[in-house]
PDB file of all heavy atoms in Angstrom:
ATOM      1  N   ARG A   2      28.726 -41.956-141.038  1.00 39.00           N
ATOM      2  CA  ARG A   2      28.255 -43.256-140.541  1.00 39.00           C
ATOM      3  C   ARG A   2      26.820 -43.188-140.427  1.00 39.00           C
ATOM      4  O   ARG A   2      26.085 -43.364-141.416  1.00 39.00           O
ATOM      5  CB  ARG A   2      28.793 -43.494-139.114  1.00 39.00           C
ATOM      6  CG  ARG A   2      29.941 -44.182-138.933  1.00 39.00           C
ATOM      7  CD  ARG A   2      30.256 -44.180-137.503  1.00 39.00           C
ATOM      8  NE  ARG A   2      30.099 -42.970-136.850  1.00 39.00           N
ATOM      9  CZ  ARG A   2      29.101 -42.712-136.151  1.00 39.00           C
ATOM     10  NH1 ARG A   2      28.260 -43.551-135.785  1.00 39.00           N
ATOM     11  NH2 ARG A   2      28.910 -41.500-135.670  1.00 39.00           N
ATOM     12  N   THR A  15      27.287 -45.723-142.890  1.00 37.00           N
ATOM     13  CA  THR A  15      27.572 -46.250-142.446  1.00 37.00           C
ATOM     14  C   THR A  15      26.409 -46.951-142.863  1.00 37.00           C
ATOM     15  O   THR A  15      26.339 -46.619-142.719  1.00 37.00           O
ATOM     16  CB  THR A  15      28.604 -45.939-141.515  1.00 37.00           C
ATOM     17  OG1 THR A  15      29.416 -45.994-140.991  1.00 37.00           O
ATOM     18  CG2 THR A  15      29.325 -45.613-140.636  1.00 37.00           C
ATOM     19  N   TRP A  62      34.761 -36.953-135.753  1.00 86.00           N
ATOM     20  CA  TRP A  62      35.225 -37.871-134.747  1.00 86.00           C
ATOM     21  C   TRP A  62      36.699 -38.101-134.988  1.00 86.00           C
ATOM     22  O   TRP A  62      37.121 -39.154-135.605  1.00 86.00           O
ATOM     23  CB  TRP A  62      34.550 -39.195-134.750  1.00 86.00           C
ATOM     24  CG  TRP A  62      33.089 -39.055-134.434  1.00 86.00           C
ATOM     25  CD1 TRP A  62      32.461 -38.926-133.232  1.00 86.00           C
ATOM     26  CD2 TRP A  62      31.959 -38.985-135.406  1.00 86.00           C
ATOM     27  NE1 TRP A  62      31.138 -38.779-133.337  1.00 86.00           N
ATOM     28  CE2 TRP A  62      30.767 -38.830-134.655  1.00 86.00           C
ATOM     29  CE3 TRP A  62      31.904 -39.068-136.808  1.00 86.00           C
ATOM     30  CZ2 TRP A  62      29.550 -38.640-135.268  1.00 86.00           C
ATOM     31  CZ3 TRP A  62      30.687 -38.929-137.379  1.00 86.00           C
ATOM     32  CH2 TRP A  62      29.529 -38.778-136.630  1.00 86.00           C
ATOM     33  N   TRP A  68      41.434 -45.748-129.015  1.00 98.00           N
ATOM     34  CA  TRP A  68      40.041 -46.012-128.825  1.00 98.00           C
ATOM     35  C   TRP A  68      39.848 -47.422-128.280  1.00 98.00           C
ATOM     36  O   TRP A  68      40.540 -48.365-128.706  1.00 98.00           O
ATOM     37  CB  TRP A  68      39.296 -45.949-130.144  1.00 98.00           C
ATOM     38  CG  TRP A  68      38.689 -44.472-130.401  1.00 98.00           C
ATOM     39  CD1 TRP A  68      38.363 -43.518-129.485  1.00 98.00           C
ATOM     40  CD2 TRP A  68      38.445 -43.918-131.662  1.00 98.00           C
ATOM     41  NE1 TRP A  68      37.810 -42.434-130.148  1.00 98.00           N
ATOM     42  CE2 TRP A  68      37.894 -42.669-131.458  1.00 98.00           C
ATOM     43  CE3 TRP A  68      38.504 -44.431-133.011  1.00 98.00           C
ATOM     44  CZ2 TRP A  68      37.397 -41.836-132.463  1.00 98.00           C
ATOM     45  CZ3 TRP A  68      38.044 -43.577-133.956  1.00 98.00           C
ATOM     46  CH2 TRP A  68      37.550 -42.368-133.789  1.00 98.00           C
ATOM     47  N   THR A  69      38.791 -47.623-127.514  1.00 98.00           N
ATOM     48  CA  THR A  69      38.467 -48.886-126.974  1.00 98.00           C
ATOM     49  C   THR A  69      38.317 -49.912-128.045  1.00 98.00           C
ATOM     50  O   THR A  69      38.702 -51.093-127.933  1.00 98.00           O
ATOM     51  CB  THR A  69      37.209 -48.864-126.025  1.00 98.00           C
ATOM     52  OG1 THR A  69      37.478 -47.977-125.002  1.00 98.00           O
ATOM     53  CG2 THR A  69      36.790 -50.227-125.571  1.00 98.00           C
ATOM     54  N   VAL A  70      37.629 -49.558-129.150  1.00 98.00           N
ATOM     55  CA  VAL A  70      37.358 -50.538-130.238  1.00 98.00           C
ATOM     56  C   VAL A  70      38.635 -51.069-130.795  1.00 98.00           C
ATOM     57  O   VAL A  70      38.760 -52.277-131.037  1.00 98.00           O
ATOM     58  CB  VAL A  70      36.510 -49.798-131.320  1.00 98.00           C
ATOM     59  CG1 VAL A  70      37.344 -48.780-132.161  1.00 98.00           C
ATOM     60  CG2 VAL A  70      35.975 -50.874-132.257  1.00 98.00           C
ATOM     61  N   TRP A  71      39.642 -50.206-130.934  1.00 98.00           N
ATOM     62  CA  TRP A  71      40.946 -50.713-131.538  1.00 98.00           C
ATOM     63  C   TRP A  71      41.687 -51.512-130.478  1.00 98.00           C
ATOM     64  O   TRP A  71      42.359 -52.540-130.831  1.00 98.00           O
ATOM     65  CB  TRP A  71      41.794 -49.583-131.985  1.00 98.00           C
ATOM     66  CG  TRP A  71      41.208 -48.954-133.241  1.00 98.00           C
ATOM     67  CD1 TRP A  71      40.751 -47.675-133.410  1.00 98.00           C
ATOM     68  CD2 TRP A  71      40.958 -49.597-134.482  1.00 98.00           C
ATOM     69  NE1 TRP A  71      40.250 -47.442-134.671  1.00 98.00           N
ATOM     70  CE2 TRP A  71      40.330 -48.627-135.337  1.00 98.00           C
ATOM     71  CE3 TRP A  71      41.100 -50.880-134.939  1.00 98.00           C
ATOM     72  CZ2 TRP A  71      39.952 -48.944-136.647  1.00 98.00           C
ATOM     73  CZ3 TRP A  71      40.764 -51.213-136.255  1.00 98.00           C
ATOM     74  CH2 TRP A  71      40.164 -50.272-137.134  1.00 98.00           C
ATOM     75  N   ASN A  73      40.372 -53.563-128.229  1.00 98.00           N
ATOM     76  CA  ASN A  73      39.632 -54.838-128.258  1.00 98.00           C
ATOM     77  C   ASN A  73      39.987 -55.594-129.528  1.00 98.00           C
ATOM     78  O   ASN A  73      40.300 -56.851-129.476  1.00 98.00           O
ATOM     79  CB  ASN A  73      38.157 -54.570-128.198  1.00 98.00           C
ATOM     80  CG  ASN A  73      37.687 -54.084-126.911  1.00 98.00           C
ATOM     81  OD1 ASN A  73      38.474 -54.071-125.873  1.00 98.00           O
ATOM     82  ND2 ASN A  73      36.495 -53.581-126.814  1.00 98.00           N
ATOM     83  N   LEU A  74      39.904 -54.966-130.746  1.00 98.00           N
ATOM     84  CA  LEU A  74      40.113 -55.756-131.989  1.00 98.00           C
ATOM     85  C   LEU A  74      41.559 -56.237-132.089  1.00 98.00           C
ATOM     86  O   LEU A  74      41.743 -57.353-132.577  1.00 98.00           O
ATOM     87  CB  LEU A  74      39.738 -54.827-133.148  1.00 98.00           C
ATOM     88  CG  LEU A  74      38.261 -54.475-133.260  1.00 98.00           C
ATOM     89  CD1 LEU A  74      37.996 -53.501-134.438  1.00 98.00           C
ATOM     90  CD2 LEU A  74      37.360 -55.758-133.399  1.00 98.00           C
ATOM     91  N   SER A 374      31.884 -58.965-135.084  1.00 97.00           N
ATOM     92  CA  SER A 374      30.913 -57.974-135.278  1.00 97.00           C
ATOM     93  C   SER A 374      30.509 -57.437-133.996  1.00 97.00           C
ATOM     94  O   SER A 374      30.175 -56.179-133.806  1.00 97.00           O
ATOM     95  CB  SER A 374      29.726 -58.517-136.083  1.00 97.00           C
ATOM     96  OG  SER A 374      29.081 -59.531-135.391  1.00 97.00           O
ATOM     97  N   ILE A 375      30.383 -58.250-132.905  1.00 97.00           N
ATOM     98  CA  ILE A 375      29.965 -57.779-131.590  1.00 97.00           C
ATOM     99  C   ILE A 375      31.048 -56.857-131.014  1.00 97.00           C
ATOM    100  O   ILE A 375      30.788 -55.773-130.544  1.00 97.00           O
ATOM    101  CB  ILE A 375      29.646 -58.855-130.679  1.00 97.00           C
ATOM    102  CG1 ILE A 375      28.481 -59.747-131.138  1.00 97.00           C
ATOM    103  CG2 ILE A 375      29.378 -58.362-129.255  1.00 97.00           C
ATOM    104  CD1 ILE A 375      27.187 -58.952-131.348  1.00 97.00           C
ATOM    105  N   LEU A 376      32.284 -57.305-131.178  1.00 97.00           N
ATOM    106  CA  LEU A 376      33.411 -56.443-130.657  1.00 97.00           C
ATOM    107  C   LEU A 376      33.464 -55.131-131.343  1.00 97.00           C
ATOM    108  O   LEU A 376      33.701 -54.070-130.706  1.00 97.00           O
ATOM    109  CB  LEU A 376      34.705 -57.171-130.802  1.00 97.00           C
ATOM    110  CG  LEU A 376      35.132 -58.125-129.669  1.00 97.00           C
ATOM    111  CD1 LEU A 376      36.484 -58.750-130.021  1.00 97.00           C
ATOM    112  CD2 LEU A 376      35.250 -57.372-128.352  1.00 97.00           C
ATOM    113  N   SER A 377      33.322 -55.122-132.655  1.00 97.00           N
ATOM    114  CA  SER A 377      33.399 -53.834-133.449  1.00 97.00           C
ATOM    115  C   SER A 377      32.238 -52.920-133.225  1.00 97.00           C
ATOM    116  O   SER A 377      32.306 -51.773-133.345  1.00 97.00           O
ATOM    117  CB  SER A 377      33.595 -54.134-134.869  1.00 97.00           C
ATOM    118  OG  SER A 377      32.604 -54.827-135.436  1.00 97.00           O
ATOM    119  N   ASN A 378      31.028 -53.563-132.970  1.00 97.00           N
ATOM    120  CA  ASN A 378      29.836 -52.731-132.699  1.00 97.00           C
ATOM    121  C   ASN A 378      29.604 -52.337-131.296  1.00 97.00           C
ATOM    122  O   ASN A 378      29.291 -51.222-130.999  1.00 97.00           O
ATOM    123  CB  ASN A 378      28.574 -53.588-133.122  1.00 97.00           C
ATOM    124  CG  ASN A 378      28.312 -53.616-134.678  1.00 97.00           C
ATOM    125  OD1 ASN A 378      27.285 -53.227-135.184  1.00 97.00           O
ATOM    126  ND2 ASN A 378      29.333 -54.190-135.383  1.00 97.00           N
ATOM    127  N   PHE A 379      29.863 -53.230-130.305  1.00 98.00           N
ATOM    128  CA  PHE A 379      29.554 -53.036-128.935  1.00 98.00           C
ATOM    129  C   PHE A 379      30.700 -53.083-128.036  1.00 98.00           C
ATOM    130  O   PHE A 379      30.694 -52.484-126.947  1.00 98.00           O
ATOM    131  CB  PHE A 379      28.465 -54.011-128.408  1.00 98.00           C
ATOM    132  CG  PHE A 379      27.138 -53.864-129.116  1.00 98.00           C
ATOM    133  CD1 PHE A 379      26.779 -54.817-130.123  1.00 98.00           C
ATOM    134  CD2 PHE A 379      26.258 -52.827-128.764  1.00 98.00           C
ATOM    135  CE1 PHE A 379      25.522 -54.701-130.723  1.00 98.00           C
ATOM    136  CE2 PHE A 379      25.080 -52.762-129.375  1.00 98.00           C
ATOM    137  CZ  PHE A 379      24.661 -53.622-130.419  1.00 98.00           C
ATOM    138  N   GLY A 380      31.752 -53.847-128.379  1.00 97.00           N
ATOM    139  CA  GLY A 380      32.895 -54.078-127.443  1.00 97.00           C
ATOM    140  C   GLY A 380      32.678 -55.267-126.566  1.00 97.00           C
ATOM    141  O   GLY A 380      31.845 -56.212-126.960  1.00 97.00           O
ATOM    142  N   LYS A 381      33.428 -55.413-125.555  1.00 97.00           N
ATOM    143  CA  LYS A 381      33.402 -56.607-124.705  1.00 97.00           C
ATOM    144  C   LYS A 381      32.162 -56.632-123.824  1.00 97.00           C
ATOM    145  O   LYS A 381      31.906 -55.566-123.201  1.00 97.00           O
ATOM    146  CB  LYS A 381      34.655 -56.666-123.839  1.00 97.00           C
ATOM    147  CG  LYS A 381      35.923 -56.943-124.581  1.00 97.00           C
ATOM    148  CD  LYS A 381      37.056 -57.038-123.646  1.00 97.00           C
ATOM    149  CE  LYS A 381      38.437 -57.230-124.299  1.00 97.00           C
ATOM    150  NZ  LYS A 381      39.532 -57.308-123.321  1.00 97.00           N
ATOM    151  N   ASP A 384      32.152 -55.004-120.147  1.00 97.00           N
ATOM    152  CA  ASP A 384      32.999 -53.728-120.238  1.00 97.00           C
ATOM    153  C   ASP A 384      32.080 -52.705-120.841  1.00 97.00           C
ATOM    154  O   ASP A 384      31.549 -51.784-120.073  1.00 97.00           O
ATOM    155  CB  ASP A 384      34.178 -54.030-121.042  1.00 97.00           C
ATOM    156  CG  ASP A 384      35.100 -52.738-121.170  1.00 97.00           C
ATOM    157  OD1 ASP A 384      34.854 -51.782-120.398  1.00 97.00           O
ATOM    158  OD2 ASP A 384      36.011 -52.771-121.986  1.00 97.00           O
ATOM    159  N   THR A 385      31.925 -52.636-122.121  1.00 98.00           N
ATOM    160  CA  THR A 385      31.003 -51.624-122.716  1.00 98.00           C
ATOM    161  C   THR A 385      29.779 -52.275-123.287  1.00 98.00           C
ATOM    162  O   THR A 385      28.965 -51.557-123.805  1.00 98.00           O
ATOM    163  CB  THR A 385      31.771 -50.939-123.925  1.00 98.00           C
ATOM    164  OG1 THR A 385      32.221 -51.843-124.796  1.00 98.00           O
ATOM    165  CG2 THR A 385      32.906 -50.107-123.276  1.00 98.00           C
ATOM    166  N   ALA A 386      29.712 -53.614-123.293  1.00 97.00           N
ATOM    167  CA  ALA A 386      28.545 -54.317-123.921  1.00 97.00           C
ATOM    168  C   ALA A 386      27.773 -55.050-122.898  1.00 97.00           C
ATOM    169  O   ALA A 386      28.298 -55.468-121.899  1.00 97.00           O
ATOM    170  CB  ALA A 386      29.026 -55.186-125.024  1.00 97.00           C
ATOM    171  N   TRP A 396      24.801 -51.559-125.542  1.00 97.00           N
ATOM    172  CA  TRP A 396      25.814 -50.944-124.751  1.00 97.00           C
ATOM    173  C   TRP A 396      25.446 -50.801-123.308  1.00 97.00           C
ATOM    174  O   TRP A 396      24.297 -50.814-122.962  1.00 97.00           O
ATOM    175  CB  TRP A 396      26.184 -49.534-125.396  1.00 97.00           C
ATOM    176  CG  TRP A 396      26.890 -49.630-126.682  1.00 97.00           C
ATOM    177  CD1 TRP A 396      28.220 -49.793-126.849  1.00 97.00           C
ATOM    178  CD2 TRP A 396      26.415 -49.416-127.950  1.00 97.00           C
ATOM    179  NE1 TRP A 396      28.623 -49.739-128.164  1.00 97.00           N
ATOM    180  CE2 TRP A 396      27.407 -49.486-128.856  1.00 97.00           C
ATOM    181  CE3 TRP A 396      25.087 -49.087-128.461  1.00 97.00           C
ATOM    182  CZ2 TRP A 396      27.305 -49.333-130.273  1.00 97.00           C
ATOM    183  CZ3 TRP A 396      24.947 -49.042-129.872  1.00 97.00           C
ATOM    184  CH2 TRP A 396      26.019 -49.067-130.750  1.00 97.00           C
ATOM    185  N   THR A 397      26.413 -50.607-122.532  1.00 96.00           N
ATOM    186  CA  THR A 397      26.144 -50.423-121.029  1.00 96.00           C
ATOM    187  C   THR A 397      25.576 -49.034-120.817  1.00 96.00           C
ATOM    188  O   THR A 397      25.627 -48.115-121.685  1.00 96.00           O
ATOM    189  CB  THR A 397      27.417 -50.600-120.211  1.00 96.00           C
ATOM    190  OG1 THR A 397      28.364 -49.558-120.577  1.00 96.00           O
ATOM    191  CG2 THR A 397      28.031 -51.918-120.446  1.00 96.00           C
ATOM    192  N   VAL A 400      27.447 -45.708-121.764  1.00 96.00           N
ATOM    193  CA  VAL A 400      27.690 -45.376-123.193  1.00 96.00           C
ATOM    194  C   VAL A 400      26.516 -44.567-123.730  1.00 96.00           C
ATOM    195  O   VAL A 400      25.393 -45.026-123.758  1.00 96.00           O
ATOM    196  CB  VAL A 400      27.882 -46.667-124.078  1.00 96.00           C
ATOM    197  CG1 VAL A 400      28.229 -46.238-125.554  1.00 96.00           C
ATOM    198  CG2 VAL A 400      29.038 -47.440-123.550  1.00 96.00           C
ATOM    199  N   THR A 402      24.089 -43.183-126.381  1.00 89.00           N
ATOM    200  CA  THR A 402      23.524 -43.546-127.685  1.00 89.00           C
ATOM    201  C   THR A 402      22.155 -42.841-127.835  1.00 89.00           C
ATOM    202  O   THR A 402      21.654 -42.299-126.852  1.00 89.00           O
ATOM    203  CB  THR A 402      23.312 -45.090-127.780  1.00 89.00           C
ATOM    204  OG1 THR A 402      22.272 -45.470-126.902  1.00 89.00           O
ATOM    205  CG2 THR A 402      24.620 -45.850-127.447  1.00 89.00           C
ATOM    206  N   ASN A 410      29.653 -41.204-121.974  1.00 95.00           N
ATOM    207  CA  ASN A 410      30.516 -41.061-123.107  1.00 95.00           C
ATOM    208  C   ASN A 410      29.895 -41.614-124.423  1.00 95.00           C
ATOM    209  O   ASN A 410      29.372 -42.672-124.392  1.00 95.00           O
ATOM    210  CB  ASN A 410      31.838 -41.824-122.872  1.00 95.00           C
ATOM    211  CG  ASN A 410      32.554 -41.267-121.679  1.00 95.00           C
ATOM    212  OD1 ASN A 410      32.847 -40.118-121.532  1.00 95.00           O
ATOM    213  ND2 ASN A 410      32.820 -42.210-120.698  1.00 95.00           N
ATOM    214  N   GLU A 411      29.963 -40.787-125.501  1.00 94.00           N
ATOM    215  CA  GLU A 411      29.394 -41.065-126.766  1.00 94.00           C
ATOM    216  C   GLU A 411      30.059 -42.309-127.396  1.00 94.00           C
ATOM    217  O   GLU A 411      31.280 -42.378-127.314  1.00 94.00           O
ATOM    218  CB  GLU A 411      29.454 -39.855-127.710  1.00 94.00           C
ATOM    219  CG  GLU A 411      28.404 -39.876-128.760  1.00 94.00           C
ATOM    220  CD  GLU A 411      28.914 -40.554-130.044  1.00 94.00           C
ATOM    221  OE1 GLU A 411      30.123 -40.699-130.183  1.00 94.00           O
ATOM    222  OE2 GLU A 411      28.090 -40.790-130.867  1.00 94.00           O
ATOM    223  N   TYR A 412      29.277 -43.178-127.997  1.00 95.00           N
ATOM    224  CA  TYR A 412      29.796 -44.525-128.429  1.00 95.00           C
ATOM    225  C   TYR A 412      30.834 -44.414-129.561  1.00 95.00           C
ATOM    226  O   TYR A 412      31.721 -45.237-129.590  1.00 95.00           O
ATOM    227  CB  TYR A 412      28.602 -45.340-128.972  1.00 95.00           C
ATOM    228  CG  TYR A 412      27.875 -44.904-130.265  1.00 95.00           C
ATOM    229  CD1 TYR A 412      28.283 -45.482-131.463  1.00 95.00           C
ATOM    230  CD2 TYR A 412      26.977 -43.914-130.247  1.00 95.00           C
ATOM    231  CE1 TYR A 412      27.623 -45.041-132.641  1.00 95.00           C
ATOM    232  CE2 TYR A 412      26.389 -43.489-131.403  1.00 95.00           C
ATOM    233  CZ  TYR A 412      26.752 -44.041-132.580  1.00 95.00           C
ATOM    234  OH  TYR A 412      26.134 -43.646-133.757  1.00 95.00           O
ATOM    235  N   THR A 413      30.780 -43.339-130.310  1.00 94.00           N
ATOM    236  CA  THR A 413      31.861 -43.241-131.360  1.00 94.00           C
ATOM    237  C   THR A 413      32.964 -42.315-130.873  1.00 94.00           C
ATOM    238  O   THR A 413      34.175 -42.715-130.801  1.00 94.00           O
ATOM    239  CB  THR A 413      31.310 -42.671-132.660  1.00 94.00           C
ATOM    240  OG1 THR A 413      30.423 -43.639-133.261  1.00 94.00           O
ATOM    241  CG2 THR A 413      32.446 -42.491-133.715  1.00 94.00           C
ATOM    242  N   ALA A 414      32.647 -41.039-130.602  1.00 94.00           N
ATOM    243  CA  ALA A 414      33.678 -40.071-130.242  1.00 94.00           C
ATOM    244  C   ALA A 414      34.615 -40.561-129.099  1.00 94.00           C
ATOM    245  O   ALA A 414      35.775 -40.296-129.094  1.00 94.00           O
ATOM    246  CB  ALA A 414      32.981 -38.745-129.831  1.00 94.00           C
ATOM    247  N   HIS A 415      34.058 -41.288-128.086  1.00 96.00           N
ATOM    248  CA  HIS A 415      34.838 -41.667-126.937  1.00 96.00           C
ATOM    249  C   HIS A 415      35.433 -43.032-127.101  1.00 96.00           C
ATOM    250  O   HIS A 415      36.619 -43.325-126.778  1.00 96.00           O
ATOM    251  CB  HIS A 415      34.041 -41.625-125.654  1.00 96.00           C
ATOM    252  CG  HIS A 415      34.782 -41.941-124.424  1.00 96.00           C
ATOM    253  ND1 HIS A 415      35.553 -40.971-123.798  1.00 96.00           N
ATOM    254  CD2 HIS A 415      34.905 -43.066-123.734  1.00 96.00           C
ATOM    255  CE1 HIS A 415      36.080 -41.521-122.758  1.00 96.00           C
ATOM    256  NE2 HIS A 415      35.738 -42.786-122.637  1.00 96.00           N
ATOM    257  N   TYR A 416      34.705 -43.958-127.625  1.00 97.00           N
ATOM    258  CA  TYR A 416      35.067 -45.395-127.710  1.00 97.00           C
ATOM    259  C   TYR A 416      35.512 -45.823-129.088  1.00 97.00           C
ATOM    260  O   TYR A 416      36.241 -46.806-129.230  1.00 97.00           O
ATOM    261  CB  TYR A 416      33.927 -46.263-127.206  1.00 97.00           C
ATOM    262  CG  TYR A 416      33.469 -46.112-125.807  1.00 97.00           C
ATOM    263  CD1 TYR A 416      32.324 -45.331-125.579  1.00 97.00           C
ATOM    264  CD2 TYR A 416      34.166 -46.658-124.765  1.00 97.00           C
ATOM    265  CE1 TYR A 416      31.915 -45.140-124.281  1.00 97.00           C
ATOM    266  CE2 TYR A 416      33.754 -46.451-123.437  1.00 97.00           C
ATOM    267  CZ  TYR A 416      32.602 -45.715-123.220  1.00 97.00           C
ATOM    268  OH  TYR A 416      32.185 -45.526-121.897  1.00 97.00           O
ATOM    269  N   GLY A 417      35.072 -45.096-130.120  1.00 97.00           N
ATOM    270  CA  GLY A 417      35.417 -45.494-131.512  1.00 97.00           C
ATOM    271  C   GLY A 417      34.462 -46.584-132.101  1.00 97.00           C
ATOM    272  O   GLY A 417      34.804 -46.934-133.238  1.00 97.00           O
ATOM    273  N   PHE A 418      33.438 -46.904-131.413  1.00 97.00           N
ATOM    274  CA  PHE A 418      32.519 -48.010-131.965  1.00 97.00           C
ATOM    275  C   PHE A 418      31.820 -47.445-133.251  1.00 97.00           C
ATOM    276  O   PHE A 418      31.373 -46.303-133.296  1.00 97.00           O
ATOM    277  CB  PHE A 418      31.507 -48.475-130.903  1.00 97.00           C
ATOM    278  CG  PHE A 418      32.091 -49.116-129.768  1.00 97.00           C
ATOM    279  CD1 PHE A 418      31.863 -48.699-128.511  1.00 97.00           C
ATOM    280  CD2 PHE A 418      32.874 -50.230-130.013  1.00 97.00           C
ATOM    281  CE1 PHE A 418      32.437 -49.351-127.436  1.00 97.00           C
ATOM    282  CE2 PHE A 418      33.477 -50.975-128.889  1.00 97.00           C
ATOM    283  CZ  PHE A 418      33.272 -50.521-127.589  1.00 97.00           C
ATOM    284  N   MET A 419      31.804 -48.286-134.273  1.00 93.00           N
ATOM    285  CA  MET A 419      31.131 -47.900-135.507  1.00 93.00           C
ATOM    286  C   MET A 419      31.885 -46.750-136.294  1.00 93.00           C
ATOM    287  O   MET A 419      31.330 -46.141-137.159  1.00 93.00           O
ATOM    288  CB  MET A 419      29.651 -47.489-135.331  1.00 93.00           C
ATOM    289  CG  MET A 419      28.865 -48.335-134.368  1.00 93.00           C
ATOM    290  SD  MET A 419      28.748 -50.084-134.900  1.00 93.00           S
ATOM    291  CE  MET A 419      27.561 -49.930-136.210  1.00 93.00           C
ATOM    292  N   SER A 420      33.062 -46.543-135.890  1.00 95.00           N
ATOM    293  CA  SER A 420      33.899 -45.504-136.521  1.00 95.00           C
ATOM    294  C   SER A 420      34.391 -46.003-137.912  1.00 95.00           C
ATOM    295  O   SER A 420      34.436 -47.254-138.205  1.00 95.00           O
ATOM    296  CB  SER A 420      35.077 -45.123-135.697  1.00 95.00           C
ATOM    297  OG  SER A 420      35.924 -46.231-135.392  1.00 95.00           O
ATOM    298  N   LEU A 421      34.864 -45.130-138.821  1.00 95.00           N
ATOM    299  CA  LEU A 421      35.299 -45.525-140.081  1.00 95.00           C
ATOM    300  C   LEU A 421      36.469 -46.479-140.025  1.00 95.00           C
ATOM    301  O   LEU A 421      37.460 -46.306-139.270  1.00 95.00           O
ATOM    302  CB  LEU A 421      35.809 -44.336-140.905  1.00 95.00           C
ATOM    303  CG  LEU A 421      34.680 -43.367-141.315  1.00 95.00           C
ATOM    304  CD1 LEU A 421      35.325 -42.073-141.845  1.00 95.00           C
ATOM    305  CD2 LEU A 421      33.728 -43.942-142.304  1.00 95.00           C
ATOM    306  N   SER A 423      36.590 -49.413-138.558  1.00 97.00           N
ATOM    307  CA  SER A 423      36.563 -50.345-137.435  1.00 97.00           C
ATOM    308  C   SER A 423      35.568 -51.460-137.582  1.00 97.00           C
ATOM    309  O   SER A 423      35.595 -52.449-136.846  1.00 97.00           O
ATOM    310  CB  SER A 423      36.309 -49.560-136.094  1.00 97.00           C
ATOM    311  OG  SER A 423      34.947 -49.164-136.060  1.00 97.00           O
ATOM    312  N   VAL A 424      34.573 -51.313-138.505  1.00 97.00           N
ATOM    313  CA  VAL A 424      33.580 -52.206-138.587  1.00 97.00           C
ATOM    314  C   VAL A 424      33.315 -52.652-140.014  1.00 97.00           C
ATOM    315  O   VAL A 424      33.330 -51.856-140.934  1.00 97.00           O
ATOM    316  CB  VAL A 424      32.211 -51.525-137.935  1.00 97.00           C
ATOM    317  CG1 VAL A 424      31.885 -50.304-138.736  1.00 97.00           C
ATOM    318  CG2 VAL A 424      31.058 -52.546-138.011  1.00 97.00           C
ATOM    319  N   LEU A 435      20.666 -47.577-133.119  1.00 87.00           N
ATOM    320  CA  LEU A 435      21.092 -46.361-133.767  1.00 87.00           C
ATOM    321  C   LEU A 435      20.174 -45.757-134.744  1.00 87.00           C
ATOM    322  O   LEU A 435      20.128 -44.563-134.972  1.00 87.00           O
ATOM    323  CB  LEU A 435      22.454 -46.641-134.446  1.00 87.00           C
ATOM    324  CG  LEU A 435      23.631 -47.086-133.519  1.00 87.00           C
ATOM    325  CD1 LEU A 435      24.888 -47.299-134.364  1.00 87.00           C
ATOM    326  CD2 LEU A 435      23.848 -46.058-132.438  1.00 87.00           C
TER     327      LEU A 435
END
Side-chain angles (χ1 to χ4, degrees):
R2 265 177 317 106
T15 229
W62 300 278
W68 267 335
T69 298
V70 70
W71 290 118
N73 291 344
L74 294 176
S374 63
I375 297 302
L376 273 180
S377 60
N378 283 239
F379 295 103
K381 293 181 181 180
D384 181 10
T385 57
W396 284 281
T397 63
V400 182
T402 69
N410 297 307
E411 204 269 344
Y412 69 98
T413 295
H415 184 82
Y416 298 100
F418 296 122
M419 316 300 285
S420 59
L421 292 173
S423 70
V424 60
L435 300 180

